[in-house]
Amino acid sequence: IKNVFAVVQGLIMLSARSQPEHLGFAREVADRVTALAQATQYVAPGGVARTEKVDLLAFLRSLLAAYRNGAADMVACEGESVQIGPRAATTIALVVHELATNAVKY
């Protein structure tokens, strides 16, 4: 599935080449596809977080990176370092991604 996301990102950026005025928008869409790809890694069988604990704060920052808006960050992640297991990471990845995409839409 990683290849599918990479192809989609490539198509987005390739399409933007012929219309440079849309390059900023294309980058935002490509970043959101990256966020979806990262969330999917924690859900797909054999995903990256299946056996290892992850740092929750770093994990949240990674999942939400595509939704930051330059210097005026729309998302802030702060707190203490807490390790979470692979099952929690899977659930959190799905919930955070869904909430972030809904927040952008509405």
Side-chain angles (χ1 to χ4, degrees):
I1 196 159
K2 283 183 179 181
N3 289 340
V4 172
F5 286 119
V7 168
V8 169
Q9 287 174 315
L11 289 172
I12 292 167
M13 297 311 292
L14 185 61
S15 298
R17 280 187 189 171
S18 63
Q19 298 177 329
E21 67 275 13
H22 298 297
L23 187 58
F25 175 75
R27 284 187 179 139
E28 285 183 31
V29 172
D31 287 347
R32 291 184 183 159
V33 170
T34 297
L36 179 59
Q38 288 175 334
T40 303
Q41 288 178 358
Y42 291 92
V43 178
V48 296
R50 287 291 180 202
T51 59
E52 299 176 6
K53 289 190 173 197
V54 295
D55 178 84
L56 178 59
L57 191 57
F59 183 55
L60 289 173
R61 286 179 177 154
S62 172
L63 289 172
L64 295 169
Y67 302 98
R68 294 187 175 272
N69 190 13
D73 284 339
M74 303 295 289
V75 177
C77 296
E78 297 179 11
E80 303 216 6
S81 178
V82 177
Q83 298 293 308
I84 59 171
R87 292 184 75 190
T90 298
T91 303
I92 290 170
L94 289 173
V95 170
V96 168
H97 186 266
E98 184 65 22
L99 290 172
T101 56
N102 286 343
V104 169
K105 283 194 289 190
Y106 305 108

